[in-house]
Amino acid sequence: MINNNRSSGIIELDIHGMTKYQAKTRIDAQLKQAKADTYIIRVVHGYRGGTELRDMVRHDYIGHPKVKRVKYGLNPGTTELIIRELF
């Protein structure tokens, strides 16, 4: 599920229940389609059902060409991919 809140510049992407391959494909597609006004993709991966998706998001997107940095969310079930810094 994608919650595209254009007014805030944040896209929320829920990857619960996906395999690592499905989740990575969905995240990569969202990074590719992100508009200029988008600065964060918030990935909701959960944490109670295991850490495989969380670990994939937090490790595989460090150094990605479109991701400036990876930020752990205040909620342990989310990770934010910062694609543009706001100053």
Side-chain angles (χ1 to χ4, degrees), residues 39-56:
Y39 63 93
I40 292 176
I41 296 178
R42 181 175 297 132
V43 182
V44 180
H45 43 67
Y47 69 98
R48 291 193 179 171
T51 60
E52 187 173 75
L53 291 176
R54 180 196 69 192
D55 293 345
M56 182 272 297

Side-chain angles (χ1 to χ4, degrees), residues 2-22:
I2 299 172
N3 179 10
N4 194 344
N5 189 347
R6 287 282 176 212
S7 63
S8 71
I10 299 171
I11 294 173
E12 192 167 286
L13 182 62
D14 190 341
I15 61 170
H16 279 98
M18 293 183 185
T19 66
K20 285 190 337 183
Y21 176 79
Q22 291 169 328

Side-chain angles (χ1 to χ4, degrees), residues 24-44:
K24 189 159 179 52
T25 301
R26 181 75 54 91
I27 295 167
D28 289 345
Q30 196 60 53
L31 282 168
K32 186 175 181 179
Q33 296 171 7
K35 305 285 187 213
D37 62 344
T38 302
Y39 63 93
I40 292 176
I41 296 178
R42 181 175 297 132
V43 182
V44 180

Side-chain angles (χ1 to χ4, degrees), residues 51-66:
T51 60
E52 187 173 75
L53 291 176
R54 180 196 69 192
D55 293 345
M56 182 272 297
V57 172
R58 292 182 176 183
H59 296 284
D60 289 5
Y61 289 94
I62 293 175
H64 186 282
K66 292 201 172 192

